[in-house]
Amino acid sequence: MKIRFLLLFLLLGFSVIGLEWPMIPATLFNNFGANDSGTPHLGLSFENDGAIASTDHGEILFIHSEGEKASRLASPLGTWVAVDHGEGLIGVYSRSGESDVPVKNTVEAGTVLGVSGRSGWSNRQGFHFSLYDRKERHWVNPAMLLPPAPDSRPPVIQSVQLRNEDGLMVNPTLTRRIPQGMYSILVTITDLIDQNENPLAPQSISCFVNGAEIGFLHFEIFSVRDGTVMAYRSTPVPAELVYTNAPAFEAEKIWLTSGQTTIEVVAQDLQGRSRSAIFTIVVD
């Protein structure tokens, strides 16, 4: 029950540290939930040289070396190691240059599992780390369980656009009147952590209409249902609905009725810092 208790504590606002960083120092260039060319990024991708270490104690489940012909498992991971960290929480350490796993089946936190490389579908020197809860069948944001990275800056809302059912795009900062109807709220947001200028995804996006919250998008878990990755946008929806409009997220879909309408978008990071954008338009 470890992962479920940790998620509950986080949802209630408590700070929980459950794992250790797999590499220090390392530059994070893509994080959990980022819009990766139209698909969600399901882990943390680091750029650096050096050893990759186990984030917690666990049992080695599988080791795969790039170019291994006996395995038909997906090649994007390159060389990778899967470690069972308990209660069904699987850590996948992938895209490394080579594995360096001890002969024994169990490892402790800090045990070296490999070194950074360019294996798999990667053009950067580094590695990728992801967490999968096989009991609940969902991918977990590793950042929720790792010690917090230094971060003094809130997310930046770069753009907010409305798109109607006919595909017409509306910029609410320039257009003050729109017809009544169903609209998707498309939001482009980046989050920069201290000493790292790579644009990252926020922790959550909330949408308000006339002061009432009408929807939210959380980047805490992605579930898998019948082979389809599901995002949590108020209710679970296929992730492709959220990520199709790269680099923007489709944060919510709403029906706007006649009258003056105030739309607010709030982006929040893992440390609770937030930034909002507010627009007032007239719906005919």
Side-chain angles (χ1 to χ4, degrees):
M1 296 295 292
K2 176 172 66 174
I3 183 64
R4 279 158 286 285
F5 278 123
L6 288 171
L7 288 173
L8 176 61
F9 268 55
L10 286 159
L11 290 171
L12 292 176
F14 293 96
S15 176
V16 178
I17 299 174
L19 303 176
E20 297 180 8
W21 284 91
M23 173 185 282
I24 298 178
T27 300
L28 181 64
F29 70 85
N30 218 349
N31 66 332
F32 192 88
N35 194 331
D36 195 359
S37 301
T39 59
H41 200 69
L42 299 177
L44 304 178
S45 292
F46 298 92
E47 184 176 31
N48 210 344
D49 295 317
I52 304 166
S54 178
T55 59
D56 199 358
H57 67 275
E59 179 183 356
I60 302 293
L61 293 180
F62 195 86
I63 303 171
H64 175 78
S65 297
E66 187 173 49
E68 184 178 307
K69 300 185 183 300
S71 174
R72 296 185 179 180
L73 294 173
S75 61
L77 298 180
T79 295
W80 58 279
V81 179
V83 181
D84 187 339
H85 290 302
E87 298 297 333
L89 185 63
I90 310 301
V92 181
Y93 305 77
S94 59
R95 297 179 183 168
S96 62
E98 59 183 86
S99 61
D100 189 22
V101 182
V103 176
K104 60 183 181 179
N105 292 330
T106 59
V107 295
E108 300 299 325
T111 299
V112 174
L113 301 176
V115 296
S116 295
R118 295 174 181 265
S119 67
W121 294 358
S122 176
N123 58 3
R124 294 176 183 249
Q125 180 76 14
F127 75 101
H128 179 78
F129 173 59
S130 56
L131 289 173
Y132 184 73
D133 184 343
R134 62 180 177 182
K135 286 189 176 181
E136 298 297 328
R137 294 188 299 172
H138 56 222
W139 296 94
V140 179
N141 187 346
M144 297 193 304
L145 307 180
L146 291 168
D151 184 7
S152 60
R153 296 178 286 185
V156 176
I157 301 175
Q158 296 180 308
S159 70
V160 176
Q161 290 188 307
L162 304 178
R163 185 186 63 203
N164 67 10
E165 295 285 80
D166 295 325
L168 177 65
M169 302 293 286
V170 176
N171 184 338
T173 62
L174 302 176
T175 304
R176 297 303 180 184
R177 303 186 76 94
I178 62 173
Q180 176 177 276
M182 183 70 73
Y183 288 85
S184 297
I185 303 178
L186 306 180
V187 186
T188 302
I189 296 174
T190 58
D191 186 24
L192 302 177
I193 60 178
D194 293 353
Q195 300 178 343
N196 186 348
E197 296 304 318
N198 292 302
L200 306 174
Q203 177 67 11
S204 66
I205 302 171
S206 299
C207 300
F208 299 82
V209 171
N210 296 330
E213 185 176 40
I214 53 87
F216 58 83
L217 177 62
H218 287 172
F219 303 108
E220 294 169 349
I221 61 173
F222 285 88
S223 60
V224 181
R225 297 184 180 178
D226 299 323
T228 300
V229 178
M230 307 291 288
Y232 283 78
R233 190 180 70 182
S234 302
T235 60
V237 298
E240 62 183 19
L241 298 181
V242 174
Y243 286 85
T244 298
N245 303 281
F249 304 99
E250 184 176 294
E252 192 52 81
K253 200 167 187 178
I254 59 171
W255 179 270
L256 295 178
T257 58
S258 298
Q260 181 169 293
T261 301
T262 299
I263 298 174
E264 180 179 12
V265 174
V266 179
Q268 182 170 295
D269 64 17
L270 193 62
Q271 283 72 31
R273 278 173 289 275
S274 63
R275 195 183 297 272
S276 64
I278 302 176
F279 311 92
T280 300
I281 56 178
V282 175
V283 181
D284 295 323

